[in-house]
Amino acid sequence: ALEDDPQRTTADDKMRAWLDKQRSEARDLADLTKEALLPLEEQLNVLGPVPAEGQTEAPDVAEKRAEILEGLEKLKATGSQAELTFTRADGLLQRIAEIRRQQFTDQLLTRGPTPFDPGNWLAAGTAFIDLSVKLLAEIRTKPAEFSFAALRTESTLFAIGALLFALVMMFILRRAALRWFYKMLAVRMPDAAGADDSADAADFPVPASEDMAQSRTVRLLVGIGVTLTRLATPLIALFAARFAFLELDIFGPTGQIVLDGTVKGIAVFAIVFAIVHAFFAPNEPRLRLSWLDDKTSRIATWYSVAIALAMALNVALVNTGESLGWPLGALSILNAGIIIGGCLALWRLAAVTSSVMMQQMPVPAGDAEALTEDAGQWLSHGAVNTIRRIAYAVSVAAPLLALAGYFALSRFIFYNTLLSAAVIAAGVLLFSVAKEGATALSEATGERRSQKVEETDQDGGLLPVFFGFILTLAALPLLALIWGATTDDLSEVYFGISNGFTIGESVFRPGDILIAALVFGAGLFVTRVVQAIMRRTVMPRTRLDTGVRSSIVSGLGYIGFFIAALVAISAGGLDLSNLAFLGAALGVGIGFGLQNIVNNFVSGIILLIERPIKVGDWIEVAGTHGTVEKVNVRSTVIQTFDKASYIVPNSELISGAVMNMTHGNLTGRVIAPVGVAYGTDTRKVEKILLEILRAHPMILRRPAPSVVFKGFGADSLDFEARGFLRDVNWILSTHSDLNFEIDRRFREEEIEIPFKQADVNLKNPDALVKAIQAVATATART
């Protein structure tokens, strides 16, 4: 068939589907024969080697051996035939794919009529007139069929109801939903909003509470709600209106084609409109994904809406014209006009947005391509320049090709670029939602400080990365289809991935690896959710202290990680027995190079079980004071009083000396040293210090506070005021309170707190006096 009529054969979907089925069945049969050969080969090995020449074996054994050999030969022949069938079918499918790609390339490079030919303008006008005449003729015949009885039919009532529903959905429910969501965000929409939103801005008051507006969860829900409202309401209203027109049956065949084309064009416009407003958010900066200012966001929105209009007109006019069989000259004129308008908007959009982004994104020192630290964080100067160059190139190339008569190529470059941008923008939206949700989940678990989340806005752990990986895998086939790939090409890629590759005796399939990764990611997500529930809901209801709670939650995390890994390995079809050599190598590595890591790991397990140090304890390690923030299996994170993270290997906490200020209880002792001048009544000083200690609310009565006369210093009589605190965490503030009160009471009692003094003895004072007088006399004469 390929040799007789290649074009017809490659266009025959049934033949390609049949070939693909033959190839798949041949591969499955080959795999089955390989599996069936294994038990027969094992049985043959059990029977032992074939007797040497001149030797015999038992008749039963010889008969069984012959039977096994016959089965082996049949299976090998079947497997060989299956492999041959697979090779032939695969070669034919590849040949069909090559012919289709060549046909597609030829179609793109075919030059047709240009818009400069006056005959094409006449053809375009004639096509529009013919279309109008046909529509009027079809519609004119319908009222004659109507009657008052027909208007009362069930279908007519359904149609009227659908039209009313579309109007209510578009002009009432949509506005009410947007008003409610923006009211949740507690902001007033700007006056420069669109016609559909500006009227809503003045209809609701701004709530006094700012807590809701500052909530990350509320912002996430509002962003999702606003985007879904802008996306769903026009689409629902549009398809309800289409249903109404079809029920009324006022269009003929031509009218239905025009109606379907118009509905598709408006749907494209509504989808792009929702994506644009979600990305630029000209009416609400808090929901904005871009880092443009308000003015630039509004300008970018207008240009983007103009581009969306060009895409909608292409679907509604050019595609409909192709379906109606319009001449290529008329289509080329429509295509050129729409592309020129869209490219002007694309050029201005690239110029405005890129210039503002380049101004607001500082170039990192020494690396112009590095990621910026603020505003954006996922784009660099190089990426912005690349996007701008692509937009400029498309804005110039597409109109020139359209004017030169390359109808298909101009549409391919312009609209496929816009569709790719729409797919990427939708992916960015979904990724942003995932990142915000993961950040909210991280905040719920209490594992990250909210201040850090607000400053970096990059929290959430690996969940956003995992979701971004899923979005990338989902976007790649869509982008491939946009840029000329067919479903057959994608099925070929999937077939190659599903077959996998063989290393030794193991077969590794990327599809299985992907499934294992998905299962592992899902397991980690479930583990994080369970940890959050335990940390926030279950543990606070128990009487366990903070350290025990943290150990239980951490243990659940390790158990969940281990279970997720085992389930992922099982779902991926990986044979753990093949990893025995890896276990042996790992054992050797542990014996030589991983001793320190294993030591810290075992020490971490001891810390979690024995709990000599737990979360919330105030400890001192190597002269550093701080509060235990988290106990990991390898290291412990200590937050110093300067808000720095001090990371200590667990082995040092087990084998070294550690002072735990809050190990058994929170009781601790404060010591306030003070000195008084010689000659002061020491008993009076003791009495005053005891009164100060007993008056402080943080100092316990039992054990009783005490005053110690330390000794006779070089400049003062040294005392120490000592007392036990209810909570040792208040030791610094208590010490400061005692010092303030000691200073006040000593001033009232006129007790002197001396400072360090020194006596200077001068030798030969007479000579020193004479020298001073001589200098004074000389100075007076001058």
Side-chain angles (χ1 to χ4, degrees):
L2 282 173
E3 292 174 355
D4 295 339
D5 192 355
Q7 293 185 355
R8 181 178 178 182
T9 304
T10 54
D12 191 348
D13 294 333
K14 293 183 178 180
M15 182 174 291
R16 293 199 307 273
W18 178 80
L19 277 174
D20 186 67
K21 181 181 178 182
Q22 294 294 319
R23 183 180 61 174
S24 299
E25 291 180 352
R27 171 57 66 189
D28 294 340
L29 182 58
D31 293 338
L32 288 175
T33 54
K34 290 179 180 180
E35 295 178 0
L37 284 172
L38 294 177
L40 294 180
E41 291 176 350
E42 292 179 358
Q43 294 177 21
L44 196 62
N45 293 331
V46 171
L47 294 179
V50 180
E53 186 177 356
Q55 295 181 355
T56 59
E57 60 181 352
D60 294 341
V61 176
E63 183 180 356
K64 187 63 177 177
R65 187 188 301 276
E67 180 183 349
I68 294 174
L69 290 174
E70 182 181 359
L72 286 173
E73 293 298 327
K74 290 182 179 180
L75 285 175
K76 289 180 179 179
T78 304
S80 300
Q81 184 64 33
E83 292 287 352
L84 178 61
T85 304
F86 170 82
T87 304
R88 294 177 61 190
D90 187 65
L92 289 171
L93 287 172
Q94 291 180 4
R95 184 178 174 186
I96 291 175
E98 291 175 0
I99 296 175
R100 286 170 62 88
R101 283 192 292 267
Q102 186 61 42
Q103 292 173 350
F104 180 73
T105 304
D106 295 340
Q107 181 183 3
L108 288 180
L109 299 180
T110 300
R111 186 184 181 191
T114 66
F116 297 106
D117 187 355
N120 295 331
W121 290 85
L122 180 61
T126 304
F128 272 106
I129 293 174
D130 292 342
L131 176 62
S132 302
V133 171
K134 288 182 179 180
L135 289 177
L136 290 175
E138 291 178 354
I139 296 175
R140 188 179 303 167
T141 59
K142 294 300 180 180
E145 302 174 4
F146 285 157
S147 63
F148 289 102
L151 291 175
R152 293 193 297 269
T153 60
E154 184 178 357
S155 61
T156 304
L157 295 177
F158 278 155
I160 296 174
L163 283 176
L164 292 177
F165 173 77
L167 293 175
V168 171
M169 176 65 69
M170 191 63 190
F171 297 104
I172 298 179
L173 294 181
R174 176 179 180 274
R175 296 163 69 88
L178 290 176
R179 183 185 300 115
W180 185 80
F181 281 119
Y182 279 105
K183 188 175 182 180
M184 282 185 61
L185 198 60
V187 295
R188 188 177 297 276
M189 298 175 66
D191 296 336
D196 58 341
D197 297 332
S198 59
D200 302 337
D203 293 342
F204 60 88
V206 179
S209 176
E210 293 295 332
D211 294 337
M212 182 182 298
Q214 299 300 328
S215 172
R216 184 181 299 273
T217 303
V218 170
R219 185 178 67 177
L220 175 63
L221 295 178
V222 168
I224 295 174
V226 169
T227 301
L228 291 180
T229 300
R230 285 202 177 99
L231 181 63
T233 51
L235 293 179
I236 294 175
L238 179 64
F239 289 107
R242 179 181 181 274
F243 171 79
F245 284 116
L246 292 178
E247 285 293 317
L248 290 175
D249 194 21
I250 60 176
F251 293 115
T254 303
Q256 289 186 1
I257 295 176
V258 174
L259 177 62
D260 290 339
T262 304
V263 169
K264 292 178 182 177
I266 298 176
V268 170
F269 180 82
I271 293 172
V272 178
F273 183 88
I275 295 175
V276 167
H277 274 73
F279 191 80
F280 292 113
N283 301 323
E284 178 45 61
R286 297 186 188 184
L287 302 180
R288 188 174 301 155
L289 294 181
S290 66
W291 55 94
L292 302 176
D293 53 34
D294 293 343
K295 180 180 178 181
T296 309
S297 296
R298 295 189 185 98
I299 296 174
T301 301
W302 281 109
Y303 287 132
S304 300
V305 170
I307 295 172
L309 181 61
M311 299 175 66
L313 291 176
N314 170 69
V315 175
L317 295 180
V318 181
N319 289 357
T320 302
E322 288 180 328
S323 300
L324 293 173
W326 284 6
L328 189 58
L331 295 176
S332 66
I333 292 176
L334 288 176
N335 176 66
I338 295 172
I339 284 182
I340 290 174
C343 286
L344 288 176
L346 179 61
W347 181 285
R348 291 299 303 151
L349 176 65
V352 171
T353 55
S354 62
S355 61
V356 174
M357 285 189 288
M358 295 295 288
Q359 293 174 4
Q360 296 183 358
M361 295 170 58
V363 180
D367 187 4
E369 300 296 327
L371 294 178
T372 58
E373 293 294 333
D374 58 347
Q377 300 176 343
W378 51 274
L379 277 180
S380 64
H381 284 76
V384 173
N385 284 326
T386 301
I387 295 173
R388 180 176 59 181
R389 294 190 189 102
I390 293 174
Y392 287 163
V394 172
S395 301
V396 173
L400 292 178
L401 290 171
L403 294 175
Y406 290 96
F407 173 78
L409 185 58
S410 62
R411 299 182 67 198
F412 180 79
I413 292 176
F414 181 65
Y415 296 112
N416 289 359
T417 301
L418 297 182
L419 288 175
S420 301
V423 170
I424 295 173
V428 171
L429 289 177
L430 294 176
F431 178 76
S432 301
V433 171
K435 188 180 71 171
E436 288 290 318
T439 304
L441 179 62
S442 298
E443 292 176 354
T445 59
E447 295 180 1
R448 292 173 173 83
R449 295 182 293 274
S450 59
Q451 182 180 0
K452 181 179 179 181
V453 174
E454 294 175 358
E455 291 176 354
T456 61
D457 199 28
Q458 285 185 333
D459 222 316
L462 292 177
L463 290 179
V465 178
F466 171 74
F467 194 74
F469 175 71
I470 300 300
L471 288 176
T472 302
L473 292 180
L476 288 178
L478 294 177
L479 294 175
L481 290 173
I482 289 173
W483 289 101
T486 63
T487 54
D488 295 329
D489 297 330
L490 296 182
S491 63
E492 290 294 318
V493 174
Y494 175 77
F495 185 78
I497 292 176
S498 61
N499 282 334
F501 52 93
T502 303
I503 299 179
E505 297 181 355
S506 301
V507 178
F508 296 92
R509 294 180 173 86
D512 295 339
I513 297 175
L514 176 60
I515 291 175
L518 295 177
V519 171
F520 182 69
L524 288 183
F525 177 77
V526 173
T527 301
R528 293 290 297 276
V529 171
V530 172
Q531 283 184 289
I533 294 175
M534 292 293 294
R535 188 188 303 274
R536 291 293 182 182
T537 305
V538 178
M539 288 302 171
R541 301 177 182 272
T542 65
R543 298 183 179 181
L544 302 175
D545 58 29
T546 305
V548 176
R549 298 177 188 176
S550 177
S551 299
I552 293 175
V553 174
S554 299
L556 287 176
Y558 300 135
I559 294 173
F561 181 88
F562 182 72
I563 294 175
L566 290 181
V567 174
I569 291 173
S570 177
L574 182 62
D575 188 3
L576 296 179
S577 62
N578 295 329
L579 300 179
F581 69 94
L582 181 61
L586 184 62
V588 176
I590 292 174
F592 288 96
L594 304 179
Q595 296 181 6
N596 191 21
I597 295 177
V598 174
N599 186 16
N600 289 322
F601 177 80
V602 175
S603 300
I605 299 299
I606 295 174
L607 289 176
L608 291 174
I609 296 176
E610 185 179 342
R611 298 192 305 112
I613 297 171
K614 56 186 180 298
V615 175
D617 284 353
W618 173 11
I619 66 174
E620 178 187 0
V621 181
T624 301
H625 286 265
T627 304
V628 178
E629 184 177 1
K630 190 174 183 180
V631 179
N632 299 313
V633 292
R634 192 199 66 82
S635 62
T636 297
V637 180
I638 301 172
Q639 187 181 55
T640 67
F641 298 120
D642 297 329
K643 297 301 180 182
S645 294
Y646 186 64
I647 301 174
V648 183
N650 290 331
S651 59
E652 295 185 10
L653 299 178
I654 294 296
S655 60
V658 180
M659 179 183 292
N660 193 335
M661 307 291 292
T662 58
H663 177 58
N665 52 61
L666 296 179
T667 304
R669 189 172 68 171
V670 61
I671 299 177
V674 63
V676 298
Y678 276 90
T680 306
D681 186 354
T682 55
R683 291 299 180 182
K684 183 179 180 180
V685 172
E686 179 186 20
K687 178 182 177 183
I688 293 173
L689 294 178
L690 285 175
E691 292 176 355
I692 294 173
L693 290 171
R694 291 166 182 167
H696 198 283
M698 285 301 298
I699 295 179
L700 298 173
R701 290 302 184 99
R702 296 288 184 274
S706 61
V707 175
V708 178
F709 187 1
K710 290 284 292 183
F712 301 92
D715 304 297
S716 62
L717 301 175
D718 298 332
F719 289 83
E720 283 186 356
R722 301 181 177 186
F724 287 92
L725 301 177
R726 304 177 187 275
D727 190 343
V728 74
N729 293 302
W730 293 80
I731 186 171
L732 292 179
S733 59
T734 303
H735 196 173
S736 177
D737 294 341
L738 294 178
N739 287 338
F740 279 118
E741 187 64 16
I742 289 172
D743 178 70
R744 187 185 69 82
R745 290 292 304 277
F746 280 11
R747 290 178 185 272
E748 291 179 356
E749 301 293 338
E750 297 182 352
I751 297 176
E752 179 185 359
I753 300 177
F755 52 87
K756 188 175 182 180
Q757 302 179 8
D759 295 331
V760 180
N761 298 320
L762 299 178
K763 296 183 178 180
N764 301 323
D766 297 336
L768 182 60
V769 170
K770 292 179 180 180
I772 294 174
Q773 291 176 349
V775 172
T777 303
T779 303
R781 291 176 180 177
T782 57

